[in-house]
Amino acid sequence: MKHIVTPRLLMRPFSESDLGDLHTLYTNPIVMNHISPFRGLDAEETKASLERMMSNFESSGYGEFAVIERKEKRFIGRCGLQLLENTGLIELDYLFLPDWWHKGYATESAMAILRSAFNDWGLETVVGVVRQDNKASARVLEKIGMSFKSHVFYYNCDMLLYSLEKPTHTSDSIFRNSYQNSERLQVC
């Protein structure tokens, strides 16, 4: 399984040792309020989520990554790909602890995941969904080149659906971002 390194982040597949950090993320009420109108996950649900994320890598070759801030070597969230419920669409998903919001980490990690999705994992289209009131997350999807498609209902919530198709030329939006420079982004 690959690691992705950006200027400020190490993104690696989850392991069993991440259970505590993931549980901290999933029980943070501020975080959970921004993604869905449901409570955080208890310890057993967190463990099941972690096991699902680890098995997704084994079955599909891609999935959710633990996002580590390189300078402080701290877990700050997750970012990766998963199946969007009941659709067959591949969803870009990111979730960060509040202390790390508004610092560009979601954009940096999401851009790195898109690059791998299109260049390494052979995907043609990636979608993103955000709650209608989560303007910061919608802005991240727009910054990485996704376009608004429609209002949808997923995860028991009214959401906005964004989508991006694999760019056909290196001049397309995803490749204009500085994180695409091979000296600044490494897939190990």
Side-chain angles (χ1 to χ4, degrees):
M1 288 186 254
K2 299 179 185 180
H3 289 67
I4 299 172
V5 180
T6 70
R8 300 182 299 163
L9 303 172
L10 166 65
M11 300 168 60
R12 58 167 175 71
F14 276 96
S15 68
E16 290 179 8
S17 65
D18 294 312
L19 183 60
D21 288 329
L22 194 61
H23 188 63
T24 298
L25 182 67
Y26 286 168
T27 56
N28 186 300
I30 298 169
V31 172
M32 298 315 286
N33 185 53
H34 279 78
I35 62 164
S36 177
F38 72 96
R39 61 174 176 73
L41 302 183
D42 66 25
E44 286 301 312
E45 292 166 322
T46 300
K47 184 177 180 186
S49 175
L50 178 62
E51 290 170 354
R52 178 190 51 80
M53 288 188 289
M54 290 188 309
S55 71
N56 284 349
F57 267 104
E58 294 170 14
S59 63
S60 65
Y62 55 83
E64 297 277 353
F65 288 82
V67 181
I68 310 300
E69 198 278 335
R70 289 174 57 191
K71 185 176 180 182
E72 295 188 30
K73 296 180 175 55
R74 287 184 53 196
F75 174 89
I76 65 171
R78 70 166 210 222
C79 184
L81 301 174
Q82 63 182 4
L83 281 174
L84 181 59
E85 66 177 19
N86 303 316
T87 67
L89 298 172
I90 305 299
E91 175 192 8
L92 171 68
D93 178 42
Y94 46 87
L95 196 57
F96 289 87
L97 291 165
D99 287 348
W100 303 93
W101 292 0
H102 309 294
K103 297 177 181 177
Y105 293 112
T107 302
E108 185 172 333
S109 61
M111 182 62 70
I113 292 296
L114 281 181
R115 180 184 182 277
S116 289
F118 295 138
N119 293 343
D120 302 324
W121 302 323
L123 299 177
E124 295 296 321
T125 303
V126 175
V127 301
V129 295
V130 297
R131 281 181 49 161
Q132 292 182 14
D133 60 349
N134 192 342
K135 295 189 185 328
S137 242
R139 183 68 188 121
V140 168
L141 296 179
E142 292 165 359
K143 282 182 187 178
I144 64 172
M146 287 194 173
S147 300
F148 172 76
K149 296 301 179 190
S150 64
H151 293 268
V152 293
F153 190 82
Y154 292 114
Y155 306 114
N156 299 315
C157 189
D158 290 321
M159 306 284 253
L160 304 174
L161 175 70
Y162 286 77
S163 180
L164 179 67
E165 291 183 15
K166 181 178 182 175
T168 56
H169 303 289
T170 56
S171 62
D172 286 345
S173 64
I174 191 171
F175 294 100
R176 286 195 303 258
N177 189 290
S178 63
Y179 300 122
Q180 299 316 304
N181 182 322
S182 62
E183 296 174 84
R184 299 196 66 205
L185 180 106
Q186 303 169 340
V187 177
C188 314

